[in-house]
Amino acid sequence: MRPSNHPDQEVTTINWQAFKLILPYLFEFKKRIALAMSCLILTKIASVYLPFILKDIVDTLDKNNTNEAAALVIVPLGLVAAYGLVRLSIVIFAEIRDTLFGRVTERAIRRIGLKVFRHLHALDLDFHLTRQTGGLSRDIDRGTSGINFLMRFMVFNIVPTLLEIVMVVTILFVNYGIWFAAITLVSIMLYIAYSIFATELRTRYVRAANKADSSSNTRAIDSLLNYETVKYFTNEEYEAQAYDKQLSTWEQAKIKNRLSLFALNGGQALIIAMAMTAMLALAAHEVAKGEMTLGDFVLINAFMMQLFMPLNFLGFVYREIKGSLANIENLFGLLAKTPKVQDVHDAAELTVHKLNDHSESEASINFNNVSFAYNEKRAIIKGISFSVNAGKKVAIVGQSGSGKSTLVKLLFRFYEINSGTIFINQQDISQVTQHSLRTHIGIVPQDTVLFNDTLFNNVQYGCPTANKDAVLKAIELANLSSFIESLPDGLETMVGERGLKLSGGEKQRVAIARTILKNPQILVFDEATSSLDSESEQAILTAINKVAKNRTSLVIAHRLSTIVDSDNIIVMNQGEIIEQGNHQQLLALNGQYSKMWQLQQSSS
Ligand SMILES: Nc1ncnc2c1ncn2[C@@H]1O[C@H](COP(=O)(O)OP(=O)(O)OP(=O)(O)O)[C@@H](O)[C@H]1O
Ligand SMILES: [Mg+2]
């Protein structure tokens, strides 16, 4: 259907752009499409041929009847058998077509789905922090079902119906003259125009009903998710009333929706009835005149029934296709988003040679006058410069919110810095591929989030190709073994959504094990022991020190006792470095660090 011969084009604006977007994905199976289309044409030829057999049967019966000599009606067995065969072949061809084309649609959905998924991972952190993940997955879901719907109804409903209309109108014109053809054509046009018009009108009600439906759902889910909070405040009744209010909106919207559906269906039925009556009256008149046989009458009736039947769902199909097109466009809209952080053209790989027992680390880090802001109105990092020599341990301390974790995000290049340069092994990290950059850095983040999978798989995630022994060794090093031994399911224990079934300290140790397994040249610990008691902390610090030996490590810590042995300590305040030096030097300086140290000493 081209927009140019789309009836009622003024009122409705369907965006066919989306159709063009998926087209390239459909041509992976050219032969299949050709076969499916041949089946489609065969189905339609067969179904247009069917009324002709019916007509022959009726005419034969009719002739037998009028022939007084033959009291016995001779049943035209051959014709009846042909009728059955053609009916069967219609179904078979349609099934073959569906089977052949289904594959095309599914492959397109797979390709597009994967492409979007990859693209989402390529988009920057800021995009993901800003968008709701739930909303994203709904967009993908709706987009792919949109493709499915569009294909199903385009190929299996709209195109065949159009083909049939053209064939039937031509046949009527050739065999029975202009009037039959004209009535059919006009009534179908009228029917389509009315359906689209009425559907447009009722869209408002349908939308209101859907909205009410989803907001009552959201309300219920939100309430159940907050189960504990509801109980803490004994607000069950309040929640029930809020839910019922949403339900009653939904009920009202549904009533209007149903009434508008009644108007749509009623109008459609009226148009069909008028068209049928006109056609049959005309045909009856011709039969009476002797210009047509009884069989012709039956044939015309059969044609009309056959034509209007698939049009029954037109309102629904029209609305859904419109919705599908919008959803598909939305999905492709995601693909059109460009990541804010991108590899430069011909980006080189970051080279930092792997350590062996004799070699020295090459992984030095330099921040050179780096400034950064998440939002231009508020500077977070203000012209920071510092170096971490290869193989050394540097600590960053400072008030909460001073920008410590932000420095790490910049090191991973999750954001583009506003000015300055960050070097690793003398290579500007904005000039190398993000992939190579990130393979060389391992992090134990401030809040560790785990996959809803087993403990083993969560640790193995650090290096999916690692064998079981390596994973166990990492677990041992991270001081997790005794915890795992105490679990009834051991390594196979599921950690729950986002790892919520583990304590904070256990999660951190999983993160440490994971990073040990990744075996990177640069290690970052962002409050890696913040959730631990002093005893476990000591154990992990020993582990960390063992792993960090000869590697470059950046340790962010609130508890200064954990970083006194660092080669260099950087003290941050509101995005700036206010002091740096080793523990002794900083104490001697008698500044901010020394104050923090004394405060922590006295409180412990
Ligand atoms: N994605 C973001 N968008 C906007 N502002 C952010 C974003 N992430 C962090 N910030 C802000 O940047 C500032 C520095 O945050 P950062 O996480 O670097 O602090 P921090 O020094 O690690 O603090 P803490 O010790 O509490 O972990 C904070 O004020 C924070 O609100
Ligand atoms: Mg932080």
Side-chain angles (χ1 to χ4, degrees):
M1 226 198 265
R2 304 277 317 152
S4 52
N5 50 25
H6 199 279
D8 237 17
Q9 221 216 325
E10 312 283 308
V11 188
T12 62
T13 44
I14 286 197
N15 197 343
W16 294 96
Q17 193 62 31
F19 196 61
K20 262 193 224 147
L21 288 172
I22 49 176
L23 219 51
Y25 293 90
L26 295 177
F27 288 127
E28 197 167 326
F29 294 113
K30 288 201 184 65
K31 273 193 208 134
R32 241 169 213 279
I33 294 183
L35 271 176
M37 289 301 145
S38 326
C39 283
L40 190 158
I41 292 170
L42 283 176
T43 317
K44 284 299 135 186
I45 291 178
S47 61
V48 167
Y49 187 60
L50 202 63
F52 281 100
I53 305 181
L54 205 60
K55 165 190 152 68
D56 284 346
I57 295 175
V58 172
D59 282 343
T60 318
L61 288 173
D62 192 37
K63 253 180 235 138
N64 284 338
N65 238 353
T66 48
N67 186 350
E68 286 175 22
L72 256 178
V73 175
I74 302 163
V75 180
L77 266 185
L79 279 175
V80 174
Y83 184 83
L85 265 178
V86 173
R87 262 212 175 281
L88 179 69
S89 71
I90 290 176
V91 178
I92 300 276
F93 284 135
E95 285 298 319
I96 297 177
R97 174 201 66 190
D98 290 9
T99 313
L100 286 172
F101 204 82
R103 182 83 199 279
V104 177
T105 310
E106 280 142 23
R107 179 55 64 88
I109 289 178
R110 175 179 162 195
R111 293 271 183 259
I112 295 171
L114 180 66
K115 193 162 178 189
V116 172
F117 182 75
R118 277 189 194 284
H119 189 74
L120 287 179
H121 269 303
L123 285 174
D124 47 289
L125 181 65
D126 198 43
F127 171 85
H128 286 276
L129 290 183
T130 313
R131 283 216 51 161
Q132 277 189 335
T133 315
L136 267 184
S137 84
R138 247 196 334 270
D139 278 354
I140 299 177
D141 223 44
R142 287 203 186 132
T144 47
S145 19
I147 296 172
N148 207 354
F149 190 92
L150 186 68
M151 286 301 109
R152 237 183 43 225
F153 279 88
M154 268 303 186
V155 180
F156 305 154
N157 188 302
I158 296 187
V159 174
T161 306
L162 285 179
L163 193 66
E164 187 160 355
I165 291 173
V166 171
M167 282 161 84
V168 169
V169 170
T170 315
I171 289 170
L172 286 176
F173 177 69
V174 171
N175 289 358
Y176 303 105
I178 182 104
W179 276 109
F180 285 96
I183 294 175
T184 312
L185 200 60
V186 169
S187 60
I188 286 179
M189 295 297 249
L190 203 64
Y191 184 96
I192 293 178
Y194 176 75
S195 301
I196 289 176
F197 173 71
T199 305
E200 282 294 326
L201 277 186
R202 68 184 290 267
T203 302
R204 187 155 37 116
Y205 304 117
V206 176
R207 212 170 274 156
N210 285 348
K211 204 174 139 206
D213 185 43
S214 83
S215 59
S216 67
N217 253 333
T218 320
R219 181 73 218 169
I221 290 174
D222 199 33
S223 171
L224 291 174
L225 277 180
N226 280 301
Y227 177 85
E228 284 186 31
T229 315
V230 174
K231 297 277 148 181
Y232 288 147
F233 293 93
T234 57
N235 274 345
E236 291 91 340
E237 193 47 43
Y238 172 79
E239 289 295 318
Q241 270 168 19
Y243 183 48
D244 191 46
K245 201 168 148 211
Q246 297 285 348
L247 284 179
S248 99
T249 318
W250 169 81
E251 193 185 17
Q252 293 300 322
K254 270 296 196 196
I255 293 172
K256 285 192 191 138
N257 185 358
R258 196 176 354 260
L259 284 178
S260 67
L261 185 65
F262 178 78
L264 171 66
N265 288 345
Q268 286 178 335
L270 185 69
I271 294 172
I272 297 180
M274 284 185 345
M276 288 291 261
T277 315
M279 290 288 272
L280 292 186
L282 197 60
H285 183 68
E286 298 282 305
V287 175
K289 273 202 304 189
E291 309 261 310
M292 273 191 185
T293 66
L294 220 51
D296 291 320
F297 185 88
V298 173
L299 175 137
I300 285 169
N301 183 39
F303 266 152
M304 294 303 279
M305 300 274 264
Q306 219 163 287
L307 272 192
F308 279 110
M309 204 128 73
L311 290 179
N312 245 331
F313 301 107
L314 191 70
F316 165 76
V317 170
Y318 170 76
R319 193 177 64 240
E320 288 295 313
I321 283 194
K322 224 174 126 183
S324 297
L325 287 172
N327 287 341
I328 293 170
E329 223 182 40
N330 218 347
L331 182 71
F332 278 85
L334 285 177
L335 278 180
K337 286 219 159 46
T338 44
K340 281 190 207 129
V341 179
Q342 272 178 331
D343 287 352
V344 294
H345 179 65
D346 276 341
E349 300 275 300
L350 175 70
T351 50
V352 184
H353 288 114
K354 279 266 171 210
L355 279 175
N356 60 39
D357 289 342
H358 316 292
S359 67
E360 296 261 306
S361 169
E362 297 180 337
S364 60
I365 304 171
N366 287 289
F367 273 62
N368 186 7
N369 203 11
V370 173
S371 292
F372 171 73
Y374 290 107
N375 176 325
E376 59 209 32
K377 291 202 191 99
R378 180 178 168 222
I380 301 288
I381 301 293
K382 304 164 188 165
I384 275 191
S385 302
F386 68 89
S387 313
V388 183
N389 290 339
K392 298 293 182 207
K393 173 177 170 183
V394 169
I396 304 178
V397 301
Q399 271 173 354
S400 175
S402 55
K404 304 180 297 294
S405 299
T406 303
L407 284 182
V408 175
K409 294 204 180 101
L410 298 181
L411 185 64
F412 268 95
R413 205 170 160 225
F414 281 160
Y415 297 91
E416 292 293 19
I417 50 183
N418 299 115
S419 65
T421 327
I422 303 173
F423 297 97
I424 289 179
N425 191 16
Q426 278 114 47
Q427 296 155 68
D428 181 348
I429 64 164
S430 66
Q431 301 302 311
V432 299
T433 63
Q434 296 168 67
H435 179 82
S436 69
L437 167 69
R438 290 174 195 151
T439 50
H440 289 297
I441 318 174
I443 180 168
V444 180
Q446 196 163 10
D447 336 274
T448 301
V449 181
L450 302 179
F451 291 98
N452 189 0
D453 202 339
T454 62
L455 264 174
F456 182 87
N457 288 341
N458 265 297
V459 174
Q460 198 186 34
Y461 198 79
C463 175
T465 52
N467 61 23
K468 187 164 180 184
D469 284 343
V471 176
L472 289 180
K473 204 172 149 213
I475 287 174
E476 177 79 51
L477 270 173
N479 210 10
L480 259 180
S481 313
S482 56
F483 163 66
I484 291 177
E485 273 157 28
S486 74
L487 292 170
D489 294 331
L491 284 167
E492 295 308 309
T493 307
M494 298 293 291
V495 301
E497 203 169 336
R498 299 168 75 82
L500 284 176
K501 285 188 181 176
L502 299 186
S503 79
E506 286 152 7
K507 260 191 296 189
Q508 275 190 332
R509 278 178 284 169
V510 172
I512 292 172
R514 212 187 234 183
T515 307
I516 292 173
L517 200 62
K518 181 178 177 182
N519 192 19
Q521 304 293 305
I522 296 174
L523 288 164
V524 179
F525 300 94
D526 191 350
E527 306 278 348
T529 58
S530 62
S531 309
L532 300 178
D533 57 277
S534 311
E535 201 176 320
S536 316
E537 180 171 53
Q538 268 320 309
I540 290 194
L541 283 177
T542 323
I544 287 180
N545 285 338
K546 225 188 293 174
V547 188
K549 191 159 177 273
N550 293 330
R551 284 175 217 268
T552 311
S553 47
L554 206 56
V555 183
I556 296 172
H558 274 301
R559 229 171 312 171
L560 302 181
S561 58
T562 58
I563 49 105
V564 284
D565 61 338
S566 305
D567 298 296
N568 191 22
I569 299 170
I570 292 167
V571 186
M572 280 185 71
N573 185 30
Q574 300 198 351
E576 284 167 320
I577 296 179
I578 50 171
E579 290 167 18
Q580 63 178 306
N582 66 27
H583 180 66
Q584 294 309 333
Q585 291 166 339
L586 287 176
L587 282 187
L589 208 63
N590 218 354
Q592 186 67 30
Y593 180 86
S594 150
K595 231 189 268 169
M596 282 158 58
W597 176 255
Q598 269 148 28
L599 215 62
Q600 290 189 9
Q601 288 306 99
S602 57
S603 64
S604 61

